[in-house]
Amino acid sequence: MKKHLKILEFALSSLLRRKYKNLSIVLVFSMVTFVIASILFLTHSFKKEALSVLEGAPQLIVQRLIAGRHALIPVSYIDEIKKMPGVGKVSPRYWGYYYDQLTGANYTIIGLDRAWSVNGRVMEGTALAPEDIGYCNIGFGVSDRRFLQVGDDLFLQDTKGGLYHFKVKGIFNMKSQLLTNDLVLITKKDFINLFQFPPSMATDLVVEVYNPSEVTNIAKKIKERLPDTRPITHDEILRTYNSLFNWRSGLMLTMFAGAVLAFVILAWDKATGLSAEERQEIGILKAIGWETSDVLALKFWEGASLSIISYLTGIIAAYFHVFFFGASIFAPALKGWSVLFPDFRLVPDIDIYQCFVLFMVTVLPYTVATIVPSWKAAVTDPDSVMRG
Amino acid sequence: MIEVRNLTKKYRVGGDEIVAVDDVSLSIKKGEFVSILGHSGSGKTTLLSLIGGLTRPDTGTIVIDNTHIWLLSDDELSEFRNKKLNFIYQFSSLISTLNVLENVLLPTTFSKESDKNRIEYAIELLDMMGIKDKIYSYPSQLSGGQQRRAAIARAFINNPEIILADEPTGDLDEETETEVMELFKKMNKDKGITFVMVTHSTELARQCERVFRMTKGKLIQE
Ligand SMILES: Nc1ncnc2c1ncn2[C@@H]1O[C@H](COP(=O)(O)OP(=O)(O)OP(=O)(O)O)[C@@H](O)[C@H]1O
Ligand SMILES: [Mg+2]
């Protein structure tokens, strides 16, 4: 045990002695881990966010189009759709966007109806009930921007400049951030007042279908009976997400491959080259009484500490990059995502398994690549030291 | 007590076979000071390397204090070397990334001796070698002779019973050579260290108790 500590100490100080060489290795190694880990973290949280969005997404949404643009839909369409066989509940949704001049941000405002609710849990305060006139629930982003706490008033302007205020009843928690970050939840009555909605109109309709395999069929029928509508199925949303993911992952994959290549070169250099100096050092150590296992332990610690330091640096940097700086380095490659994910911070969430795999494909091969050539030198007769 | 019997070591280079050490036998008593003379390429370094357990012989035996060294496992042999003997190499053998003091302390890395004692002894040895002011210098900052003297200090640090010295005064001036030789003789007399010294200088060889001459791998006592 004590011996191992001595070897570890020796390994660390010998790393320090080759400062510049080892620093450059740590740099390259960290960069590689950083890029790979960033990509892994990013895709992982995107997938999670996307999943949580889809989880809450209804099977079938019916919108109305006028001149190819989304328009308000008459509530009377509900009865029309309900008549179709296989259709369950049909409910109207009231939602819209609100540009907040104060902060320059866009909020999504939803008018809460008995029939429909958002599945974001409230972190502080309590959830809004449909009869809570004059109250609201807000997303974390809104409370952050407007410095609002539970009990404070949120002021919103209508189109004519009239001021409305809503008492904050609850703030959504971070977990479902993508879904609720920019959200303002008010009652349906308040919503209709604020936006001066015509009373018999809704933003869109949510249609429940008894048999999931019938969704496409029913969507087609709705389109036939109500030609000015556009039914959107859950599957279509899924496809949009997927195509975006695939396209973007292609780009990331290129970066990924580059990073892996850099790493392979790094490890290869270690695995093949043992400089005459290193060989002689091993010879001297053996000649003065180090056992083969001591030399291997030394090389193990050298390789392991170097790669673990690099690995941790890379992982931690990637964590901050992705979750605190919004993966800013990848921004150009990520542009497309902002269609689906406007400005928001990803919720820190990492997959331990991914980190473990990354560890296994970087630290492990590098350490092995350090040991193997030294092992060859250590088991052969150390007489090279006699001849310099 | 070193007992060498019928030792042979051949090297194969390309198609040719070089008999570096050819059926050599010799015995050296504890506390003896022997020297080996010989032309370049006659096999002196190879013989020392065999005796010290760095090179495996093709045939023959080496027994040091009743231990057949080539019957030991690799690890036992390492430990044996660390306890019993130490080398002074023909060529610079300092680790370039360690400073002089660290190089000298190297053989005691795993010793039970306290750091303070080890360092004190190392400095004492470096003082004897006349390079006490260079303890924090790196090998590349030393002259050839200074490097050699650091290597000599290193050879004594673990209190070996046997020193195998391969042209230890090779790049030293005459005056330092004499000093080093005096130190060796003192160590030999005071501590009973056995010396096997390869040298080119008949002058130095004459100061030893016994002189051997190597010619084309064969060893004869003079
Ligand atoms: N590793 C090796 N591979 C092949 N041949 C070797 C090897 N080591 C030594 N030899 C050969 O063995 C012979 C003896 O070499 P050695 O180094 O023992 O000579 P030496 O007496 O120490 O010479 P010098 O006085 O120049 O140091 C030489 O011919 C040398 O070329
Ligand atoms: Mg020689």
Side-chain angles (χ1 to χ4, degrees), chain A residues 167-386:
Chain A
K167 205 171 263 316
V168 177
K169 204 179 177 199
I171 299 168
F172 290 108
N173 75 18
M174 294 270 282
K175 275 241 177 68
S176 53
Q177 218 197 13
L178 177 59
L179 206 62
T180 58
N181 192 47
D182 67 342
L183 196 65
V184 175
L185 203 60
I186 55 182
T187 63
K188 175 185 158 189
K189 267 214 180 73
D190 283 334
F191 184 89
I192 287 174
N193 282 339
L194 180 70
F195 288 103
Q196 271 119 41
F197 250 46
S200 57
M201 292 290 196
T203 309
D204 52 23
L205 306 178
V206 171
V207 179
E208 232 177 66
V209 179
Y210 290 131
N211 183 354
S213 60
E214 281 289 292
V215 172
T216 347
N217 207 8
I218 285 172
K220 215 156 69 197
K221 278 189 192 149
I222 293 173
K223 179 80 188 155
E224 274 164 21
R225 189 160 313 171
L226 304 163
D228 62 341
T229 60
R230 177 174 66 174
I232 303 167
T233 65
H234 188 274
D235 283 358
E236 275 168 351
I237 303 174
L238 199 75
R239 238 172 288 141
T240 314
Y241 273 101
N242 271 343
S243 66
L244 261 172
F245 263 125
N246 292 340
W247 179 49
R248 291 300 157 190
S249 324
L251 250 155
M252 302 256 259
L253 210 68
T254 317
M255 281 198 258
F256 187 84
V260 169
L261 190 72
F263 177 75
V264 168
I265 292 170
L266 202 71
W268 184 253
D269 176 56
K270 266 276 154 194
T272 49
L274 200 58
S275 66
E277 194 186 308
E278 284 172 298
R279 208 180 299 276
Q280 204 211 11
E281 181 175 324
I282 292 173
I284 294 170
L285 292 176
K286 284 220 71 182
I288 60 165
W290 283 45
E291 292 170 13
T292 303
S293 59
D294 300 334
V295 175
L296 293 187
L298 171 69
K299 292 297 161 184
F300 168 80
W301 285 123
E302 278 186 19
S305 43
L306 207 68
S307 51
I308 288 172
I309 288 169
S310 311
Y311 171 80
L312 289 178
T313 314
I315 288 268
I316 291 167
Y319 186 87
F320 279 93
H321 172 226
V322 170
F323 298 117
F324 290 90
F325 299 102
S328 48
I329 294 175
F330 293 161
L334 289 177
K335 277 259 165 64
W337 256 317
S338 63
V339 177
L340 289 172
F341 307 99
D343 172 43
F344 72 100
R345 273 202 233 140
L346 285 168
V347 182
D349 179 53
I350 56 173
D351 185 356
I352 295 298
Y353 176 73
Q354 280 185 340
C355 293
F356 175 71
V357 169
L358 189 56
F359 184 89
M360 295 306 268
V361 300
T362 55
V363 173
L364 204 71
Y366 186 82
T367 309
V368 171
T370 323
I371 294 179
V372 170
S374 309
W375 175 71
K376 275 192 260 163
V379 290
T380 49
D381 289 340
D383 65 338
S384 65
V385 61
M386 294 294 284

Side-chain angles (χ1 to χ4, degrees), chain A residues 383 387, chain B residues 11-13 18 20 38-47 90-91 166-167 200:
Chain A
D383 65 338
R387 290 172 224 284
Chain B
Y11 288 113
R12 213 171 301 268
V13 181
I18 299 163
H39 290 295
S40 180
S42 57
K44 307 179 296 292
T45 298
T46 308
L47 180 61
Q90 184 172 5
F91 300 101
D166 197 355
E167 295 185 36
H200 274 302

Side-chain angles (χ1 to χ4, degrees), chain A residues 12-27:
Chain A
L12 291 180
S13 55
S14 92
L15 284 180
L16 281 180
R17 271 181 244 114
R18 297 191 179 98
K19 258 199 277 327
Y20 298 109
K21 186 179 167 238
N22 289 319
L23 212 64
S24 59
I25 292 175
V26 167
L27 220 69

